[in-house]
Amino acid sequence: MSHQASFLQLQRLLSSYQPYWQLMPFACRELPWQNSSLLAQLNLLSDDAIRQLDSNPTKRQAWFIDCFPELAQLPEVPAFDRLRPMPELPFWLSNGIPGRKVEQIQQFCTLVPDSVAPVLEWCAGKGHLGRMLAFSQQRRVLSLEWQDALCQQGAALAEKHQLPQRFVKADALSAEGLAVLKPEQQVLALHACGELHLQLLRSASQQGCQQLQLVPCCYHLIPEPQYQPLSQLAQQHDLALSQHDLKLAVQSQVTAGARIARLRETEVEWRLAWQALRAELSGDSHYQPLASVSKQIFSTDFRQFAEWAAEQQQVTLPAGLNLDGYLVQGRSHARLVRRIELVRHLFQRPLELWLLFDRALFLEQQGYQVEVGTFCARELTPRNLMLRAERIQR
């Protein structure tokens, strides 16, 4: 199936089921769908069953497949064939890199095509990917990173171990950063976020970079409130995706432990409890989202969180206010939200694929031969979709 056909199949599915995924669960006070078979399936699930299904996409889809039969016909995205064995690494090379990240980088490196073109590592951080590639394939690597401390640490490691890796300190979104892109170049980006990978696609294709190998991440981190499709086909079939909608594409976790999972549940409950409290104090029942905050606050107590939220939204908390009742409301509302999110998450992968094929189609428009596939198993990272593109010689 062509990328265009795959995109249109995803477009039809997402458009057909739009009311089930393009909504704001926190703003719902009841299940928002009049679908008796779906409601019956949800009513059969306990809170524990909800958690189990939400952590297992295969079982989740099987549970709801009679309600959404088209989900069984998603475009197939194959795993890329390895071009070389997994590199064996000395201890010093992987030291300081979390275990899952090490294996992600290793598997990424097995898919880097042989080339005489210089390597550019986009949004490099400390340059872990570039350092592993420089060691395992004896390639010269230029690593672009905007944080000076990370550049210094990465450069020191490369020098210490005599690796052909050099760092450029520059913002990838600035003219200085974009100036490092050259036509005869192999550009690599592992989990480049939002606008950082969008700018790479636009600028690298404009420069005519020879090869691109990209694993996108964090699609919602864009400067505009609404996503601007890249390809002509996606522009014709624009889903009008907000940043909130785009977050759905990355709402799958496989690496979190029990403590992190519990903190996430606490966060939902406290945010919804605050919503009930704010509505009562302000007389405004419309949902008003709060900004992101360090997860540490959810290890404290609800009063401390409420004081922070009140400051954020300029609400005055009465002295001596009893907060227990609002916590009860928050926990009850969270049970509803978890059920709505369970249904929304059925469309996480279709939306992520829609965004990926938008990028693939854009690169094809710019004169590239493009492959779409997975670079590792989902258990290693749910963000396992990769674009590999090579400029067609004219």
Side-chain angles (χ1 to χ4, degrees):
M1 186 181 293
S2 69
H3 295 154
Q4 178 174 320
S6 294
F7 176 86
L8 289 173
Q9 184 179 355
L10 291 159
Q11 170 69 28
R12 287 191 292 270
L13 183 146
L14 290 167
S15 295
S16 173
Y17 292 131
Q18 212 155 3
Y20 294 94
W21 61 268
Q22 201 167 27
L23 74 163
M24 189 81 71
F26 273 31
C28 297
R29 301 302 307 183
E30 59 185 18
L31 290 173
W33 314 294
Q34 301 300 315
N35 181 326
S36 57
S37 60
L38 174 61
L39 300 184
Q41 288 296 90
L42 284 171
N43 287 335
L44 291 172
L45 297 172
S46 66
D47 289 349
D48 283 342
I50 292 280
R51 295 183 183 96
Q52 291 172 15
L53 286 181
D54 213 18
S55 66
N56 190 316
T58 302
K59 291 183 178 179
R60 182 173 62 220
Q61 181 171 312
W63 182 262
F64 290 107
I65 197 62
D66 290 341
C67 304
F68 306 105
E70 288 86 348
L71 285 172
Q73 301 167 8
L74 291 179
E76 184 177 349
V77 180
F80 279 118
D81 293 330
R82 304 289 164 203
L83 301 177
R84 54 181 55 80
M86 288 267 284
E88 294 185 14
L89 306 176
F91 169 77
W92 54 262
L93 190 60
S94 59
N95 189 29
I97 312 175
R100 288 182 185 273
K101 194 66 177 179
V102 170
E103 194 172 346
Q104 291 169 27
I105 295 171
Q106 286 178 294
Q107 298 210 24
F108 188 103
C109 286
T110 68
L111 299 172
V112 177
D114 291 326
S115 176
V116 297
V119 174
L120 172 64
E121 181 187 13
W122 188 257
C123 301
K126 293 182 185 179
H128 296 319
L129 169 62
R131 188 161 59 254
M132 195 175 294
L133 193 70
F135 171 81
S136 62
Q137 297 183 26
Q138 291 301 298
R139 300 282 300 277
R140 291 190 175 277
V141 177
L142 180 65
S143 297
L144 176 71
E145 170 56 41
W146 73 276
Q147 295 188 64
D148 186 56
L150 298 183
C151 287
Q152 291 186 24
Q153 292 173 53
L157 287 168
E159 183 178 1
K160 177 180 179 181
H161 302 299
Q162 299 182 318
L163 296 174
Q165 181 185 25
R166 183 169 64 86
F167 279 76
V168 171
K169 178 191 174 301
D171 182 348
L173 301 179
S174 70
E176 183 184 7
L178 297 174
V180 303
L181 292 166
K182 307 294 181 186
E184 299 303 322
Q185 212 168 45
Q186 189 177 45
V187 186
L188 310 178
L190 174 56
H191 292 152
C193 291
E195 186 65 17
L196 294 172
H197 77 250
L198 290 173
Q199 187 62 268
L200 170 62
L201 293 175
R202 297 186 197 103
S203 299
S205 60
Q206 186 176 19
Q207 287 293 326
C209 294
Q210 181 176 317
Q211 292 178 339
L212 294 170
Q213 190 158 319
L214 166 68
V215 177
C217 192
C218 299
Y219 298 92
H220 59 288
L221 295 180
I222 56 175
E224 303 88 2
Q226 188 165 304
Y227 176 65
Q228 308 298 314
L230 291 176
S231 67
Q232 293 174 0
L233 192 61
Q235 290 167 9
Q236 295 167 12
H237 298 277
D238 192 351
L239 291 171
L241 299 170
S242 68
Q243 290 185 10
H244 170 76
D245 298 328
L246 292 170
K247 285 183 181 180
L248 173 61
V250 294
Q251 281 182 350
S252 54
Q253 301 286 339
V254 296
T255 59
R259 177 179 170 276
I260 298 300
R262 181 56 202 155
L263 279 178
R264 288 192 186 123
E265 287 201 4
T266 299
E267 178 174 4
V268 171
E269 291 170 1
W270 285 12
R271 286 178 179 270
L272 292 170
W274 165 254
Q275 181 176 318
L277 173 55
R278 187 200 61 81
E280 183 171 307
L281 293 176
S282 67
D284 177 10
S285 60
H286 293 92
Y287 173 63
Q288 295 291 334
L290 283 163
S292 297
V293 64
S294 169
K295 295 294 184 283
Q296 289 180 334
I297 198 170
F298 301 107
S299 298
T300 58
D301 59 60
F302 177 61
R303 182 171 297 277
Q304 186 171 331
F305 173 78
E307 290 170 350
W308 170 82
E311 183 178 352
Q312 293 292 308
Q313 298 191 334
Q314 299 181 332
V315 175
T316 301
L317 288 181
L321 182 65
N322 188 329
L323 301 179
D324 292 345
Y326 302 104
L327 273 175
V328 172
Q329 291 183 60
R331 292 184 185 118
S332 176
H333 195 176
R335 293 185 71 248
L336 170 70
V337 167
R338 279 193 283 271
R339 281 156 174 76
I340 297 172
E341 290 284 22
L342 181 67
V343 175
R344 283 189 83 228
H345 290 169
L346 291 164
F347 302 95
Q348 181 275 320
R349 195 63 159 187
L351 179 58
E352 186 177 13
L353 288 170
W354 187 97
L355 292 164
L356 189 76
F357 280 111
D358 176 32
R359 286 146 177 76
L361 290 167
F362 170 77
L363 287 173
E364 287 180 343
Q365 288 172 208
Q366 309 308 309
Y368 284 81
Q369 181 178 339
V370 184
E371 297 176 281
V372 171
T374 60
F375 80 100
C376 70
R378 180 185 178 276
E379 289 71 25
L380 188 58
T381 171
R383 304 282 74 73
N384 66 346
L385 294 172
M386 174 184 279
L387 284 176
R388 200 161 60 186
E390 183 156 5
R391 181 163 48 89
I392 298 171
Q393 302 297 328
R394 300 188 186 279

